[in-house]
Amino acid sequence: MSRLTREDIIVGAGRRFATHGYHGTSMRDLGDDLGILGSSIYAHVGGKQELLVAVIERGAAFFEAAAMAARAQGDGPESVLRLLVAGHIDVVLDHRAEARTYLSETHVLEPGARASIAATRDRYERVFVETIADGVDTGAFAPTIDPRLAAIYVLSVLNTIDRWFDDRGRITRTDLADDVNAFVLRGLVGGRETN
Amino acid sequence: MSRLTREDIIVGAGRRFATHGYHGTSMRDLGDDLGILGSSIYAHVGGKQELLVAVIERGAAFFEAAAMAARAQGDGPESVLRLLVAGHIDVVLDHRAEARTYLSETHVLEPGARASIAATRDRYERVFVETIADGVDTGAFAPTIDPRLAAIYVLSVLNTIDRWFDDRGRITRTDLADDVNAFVLRGLVGGRETN
DNA sequence: CCTACCGATCGGTAGG
DNA sequence: CCTACCGATCGGTAGG
């Protein structure tokens, strides 16, 4: 039972914010989780909003790193997209608390921090849009695809996965990534006309 | 400036809950929106939780009605799925506050109400699963499709639409429904192998 | 629907 | 990290 670190507090805050929301979490709740008093948290951090910023910035950083890795390792639009999908799934499942807080609580951020996170998120989503646009240009994806809409569809699927997927369930994470990729790529590549 | 009805209060509560969350809404906030005092709300409803239940039950009812209509009007799995998609988009955009509260705040419901809503939601999602399973059986959709996973993907896309779609934007709602349907149906039907 | 409240809880601080 | 607080705000009530 040694003393807690700032790191411990942020991790605990992430878990609470992810499950109960920022407004649904009191400093006393958080203290209870950590085995200290709510007021003791102020020995480690400046306040509740600072905790939210720290958790969300971590979430954003994980996604950003995953996008950079996918871009660096992929070879061609389809390959990059596959890596983006797999990477996003890993972030959302390996860093559930930070990812969920980032995805759900950004609107509670004070204006300055919110703008900064919105910019990071824009950059990330643009990687999806550009990758899909590349695929349309090279002919890997169908010419009728609107990259902006398609990117939103893909991200909608990815951002929901932590809500229902269980690593101990009947399908493995790799199977999931393959299945999502298969579904999405068929959606992008086309085949028979559907309209 | 006549007196407000219970209906007015519930509509106002829906708007607040959808934008600020249940825990981010105080009875005084809600009163301000309605032009009365927070305490005056208790002349119309029993409490804050009762308001949440009312808003979410309305949201659930809209989705349920849309599913029934799609099933009744559709002819074959692909046709039913198209109607389910278009119907879901209409609910989410025509009843934004109720739909968003239903989709995002159900976890704050007290156990009894939560269980009831969870059952309703299960029933709704099962319509998607069964429609897709029918399509696999009839050969309309690819045999490799897992209906449970595919239904989740489709619903993930649909449940996010109110977050980014603007009726005054560059694409119309009908175009959106067509585009989502085209994307989803290609994903379900297959074409060339993607794995 | 307002006046006038209530006890409980909130985020946060001073001092150790 | 605790003790001992603070003012503000919360959901809610009695009485009109």
Side-chain angles (χ1 to χ4, degrees):
Chain A
M1 289 278 179
S2 67
R3 291 193 146 221
L4 296 172
T5 63
R6 183 185 154 94
E7 165 85 15
D8 296 327
I9 312 282
I10 294 170
V11 169
R15 284 199 236 280
R16 266 277 158 182
F17 292 159
T19 51
H20 298 262
Y22 181 76
H23 289 306
T25 301
S26 75
M27 295 303 268
R28 285 159 181 85
D29 289 337
L30 183 45
D32 287 347
D33 287 353
L34 297 166
I36 61 177
L37 292 176
S39 59
S40 299
I41 295 168
Y42 292 88
H44 296 95
V45 293
K48 194 183 173 185
Q49 177 74 210
E50 185 183 314
L51 274 175
L52 181 64
V53 171
V55 171
I56 288 182
E57 279 179 348
R58 287 181 184 219
F62 288 128
F63 285 112
E64 196 156 44
M68 302 252 296
R71 241 182 179 160
Q73 291 162 34
D75 181 25
E78 181 174 325
S79 161
V80 171
L81 189 63
R82 280 177 186 275
L83 292 170
L84 283 171
V85 166
H88 194 107
I89 291 176
D90 281 338
V91 169
V92 118
L93 296 179
D94 285 334
H95 308 283
R96 282 183 120 109
E98 293 83 357
R100 179 44 50 205
T101 303
Y102 165 70
L103 292 171
S104 291
E105 301 295 319
T106 300
H107 66 105
V108 191
L109 246 19
E110 278 160 7
R114 189 167 63 238
S116 153
I117 290 296
T120 307
R121 185 161 181 168
D122 255 40
R123 247 179 288 130
Y124 182 73
E125 297 188 350
R126 218 173 300 134
V127 176
F128 280 72
V129 175
E130 285 167 6
T131 302
I132 293 171
D134 279 359
V136 172
D137 288 345
T138 64
F141 304 149
T144 49
I145 294 291
D146 180 328
R148 286 195 279 185
L149 292 180
I152 291 174
Y153 302 156
V154 176
L155 283 162
S156 297
V157 172
L158 296 178
N159 286 337
T160 314
I161 286 173
D162 67 300
R163 297 207 135 109
W164 60 269
F165 182 77
D166 182 351
D167 267 301
R168 301 156 308 181
R170 62 189 171 87
I171 65 165
T172 67
R173 193 189 290 201
T174 317
D175 288 342
L176 172 67
D178 287 345
D179 195 67
V180 170
N181 266 315
F183 184 82
V184 160
L185 287 169
R186 281 195 303 270
L188 292 172
V189 171
R192 76 135 210 200
E193 289 304 308
T194 47
N195 261 322
Chain B
M1 288 277 180
S2 68
R3 290 194 149 222
L4 296 173
T5 62
R6 183 186 154 92
E7 166 84 15
D8 297 327
I9 312 281
I10 295 169
V11 169
R15 284 198 236 281
R16 267 275 158 183
F17 293 159
T19 52
H20 298 263
Y22 182 75
H23 290 306
T25 301
S26 75
M27 295 303 268
R28 285 158 181 87
D29 289 337
L30 182 45
D32 288 347
D33 288 353
L34 297 166
I36 60 178
L37 292 176
S39 59
S40 299
I41 295 168
Y42 292 88
H44 297 95
V45 293
K48 195 182 173 186
Q49 178 73 211
E50 185 182 314
L51 275 175
L52 181 64
V53 170
V55 172
I56 288 182
E57 278 178 350
R58 287 182 184 219
F62 288 129
F63 285 112
E64 196 155 44
M68 304 251 297
R71 241 182 179 160
Q73 291 161 35
D75 181 25
E78 180 174 326
S79 161
V80 172
L81 188 64
R82 279 176 187 277
L83 292 171
L84 284 171
V85 166
H88 194 105
I89 291 175
D90 281 338
V91 170
V92 118
L93 295 178
D94 285 334
H95 308 283
R96 283 184 119 108
E98 292 83 358
R100 178 45 49 204
T101 303
Y102 166 69
L103 292 171
S104 292
E105 300 296 317
T106 300
H107 69 284
V108 191
L109 246 20
E110 278 160 8
R114 189 168 63 237
S116 153
I117 291 295
T120 307
R121 186 160 178 167
D122 255 40
R123 245 178 290 131
Y124 181 73
E125 297 188 350
R126 218 174 300 134
V127 177
F128 280 71
V129 175
E130 285 166 6
T131 302
I132 292 171
D134 279 358
V136 171
D137 288 347
T138 64
F141 303 148
T144 50
I145 293 290
D146 179 329
R148 285 196 279 184
L149 291 180
I152 291 175
Y153 302 156
V154 175
L155 284 162
S156 296
V157 172
L158 296 177
N159 286 338
T160 314
I161 285 172
D162 68 299
R163 297 206 135 108
W164 59 269
F165 182 76
D166 181 351
D167 267 302
R168 301 156 307 182
R170 62 191 170 85
I171 65 165
T172 68
R173 193 188 291 203
T174 318
D175 289 341
L176 172 67
D178 287 345
D179 195 68
V180 170
N181 266 316
F183 185 82
V184 160
L185 287 169
R186 281 196 304 269
L188 292 173
V189 171
R192 76 135 209 199
E193 290 302 309
T194 47
N195 263 318

